[in-house]
Amino acid sequence: MRTFLAVHRAGSLTGAAPALGLSQPTVTAQVRALEDQLGRQLFVRRARGVTPTPAADELAARVAPHVDALSEVALGPADPFAAPVHLAGPAELTTVRVLPALSGLVASGLRLRVTFGLADDLLAGLVQRRFDLVVSTIRPRGRGFTATPLTDEEFVLVARHGFDGDPRTAPLVAYAEDLPIIRRYWRAVLGGRPPSGPAVVVPDLRAVLTCVLAGFGVSVLPRYLCADELASGELVALLEPEEPPINTLFAVTRTEPCRAGPAAVRDALLADAARW
């Protein structure tokens, strides 16, 4: 069951092997033996990794609390980082803020496995026990989560230094075709919808920042992501509303006793988030 759970969480027979201290053929043999014993397929083999079947998801949900509890007993409290911590979050925030906050824990022995993605997908992975902790840009719904507020990210309308046009009619650089961040800013600050669709769509806010610096147009970004460019004058904030739009970020775990490793990661993020 421990091998099965490791494969389910890693999404790969090869990826699960190092954490278990086993060879990949041994992991494969144990999973096949469990499938034979249960009389049902647990994983669909893909070119890269494996995909759990509904039977595997159901089994993982049933056995994970018990396997984790037995692992805690076997490992004892002396080594909180005996197992890797599987952390997930948005690529930009995780890269710029979350990972630097964990450098001390990594130096102390934390083994970290990081996944990027959209909040809804990552929270679903948390339920499926593929992740131990999710940094989420939305408050999760349902009783299966414990969501601890980290900080509020502030959004700012920015352009390259020297921009002298009207931001209401300037070309828009967006994260997605439907302008999710820009629409929210326009509605809160300008009282309406953007007058046109995006000129450029690039699904990474760091790339959006690069495009704005290159003079492609204007955009709305989290202030933490462009603080250095605003301070240096490379970017200018086109508006300074009294109450800028904000979004609360959460550290999310499952509603159950949290293992020592994920708890240490959550506490480190809470301590560091005050300066974000």
Side-chain angles (χ1 to χ4, degrees):
M1 286 298 178
R2 179 169 174 260
T3 299
F4 156 74
L5 197 59
V7 173
H8 188 272
R9 288 171 171 169
S12 166
L13 295 162
T14 303
L20 294 165
L22 300 174
S23 66
Q24 187 269 331
T26 300
V27 171
T28 300
Q30 290 191 9
V31 169
R32 286 176 176 167
L34 182 59
E35 289 178 324
D36 290 343
Q37 180 179 340
L38 297 176
R40 58 181 62 189
Q41 185 178 14
L42 296 174
F43 299 102
V44 178
R45 278 65 173 177
R46 307 291 187 190
R48 294 184 179 180
V50 295
T51 300
T53 64
D57 289 336
E58 179 186 1
L59 180 62
R62 289 171 54 199
V63 306
H66 308 291
V67 173
D68 289 341
L70 288 171
S71 295
E72 290 287 345
V73 171
L75 294 171
D79 188 3
F81 303 142
V85 173
H86 292 263
L87 170 71
E92 304 88 351
L93 177 70
T94 304
T95 300
V96 176
R97 287 288 183 259
V98 172
L99 292 177
L102 302 178
S103 60
L105 291 182
V106 172
S108 298
L110 170 68
R111 289 184 291 155
L112 199 58
R113 304 294 182 265
V114 180
T115 300
F116 297 146
L118 299 176
D120 286 332
D121 296 335
L122 299 182
L123 291 171
L126 184 65
V127 172
Q128 296 164 2
R129 298 182 178 273
R130 292 189 286 116
F131 311 123
D132 300 307
L133 186 149
V134 169
V135 177
S136 176
T137 55
I138 62 174
R139 181 187 289 274
R141 302 185 183 94
R143 299 179 180 179
F145 301 106
T146 297
T148 306
L150 284 173
T151 190
D152 293 330
E153 58 179 353
E154 174 192 339
F155 293 107
V156 56
L157 178 63
V158 295
R160 185 173 69 172
H161 174 73
F163 175 84
D164 59 359
D166 184 347
R168 294 170 178 80
T169 58
L172 298 174
V173 182
Y175 177 85
E177 193 71 41
D178 60 347
L179 308 172
I181 300 174
I182 294 173
R183 280 192 296 106
R184 179 176 177 179
Y185 186 95
W186 241 255
R187 184 172 60 249
V189 177
L190 299 173
R193 295 176 60 87
S196 64
V200 178
V201 175
V202 54
D204 188 302
L205 292 177
R206 294 162 297 182
V208 171
L209 172 60
T210 297
C211 291
V212 174
L213 288 169
F216 287 18
V218 306
S219 192
V220 176
L221 292 170
R223 187 175 288 273
Y224 77 82
L225 191 63
C226 56
D228 291 343
E229 290 77 10
L230 288 170
S232 69
E234 295 176 89
L235 287 184
V236 292
L238 299 178
L239 298 174
E240 292 288 358
E242 291 186 9
E243 295 185 7
I246 61 172
N247 185 56
T248 302
L249 305 171
F250 298 91
V252 187
T253 56
R254 290 181 293 276
T255 303
E256 61 187 43
C258 194
R259 292 192 294 113
V265 170
R266 179 194 58 204
D267 293 346
L269 294 179
L270 289 171
D272 198 69
R275 68 177 186 85
W276 296 0

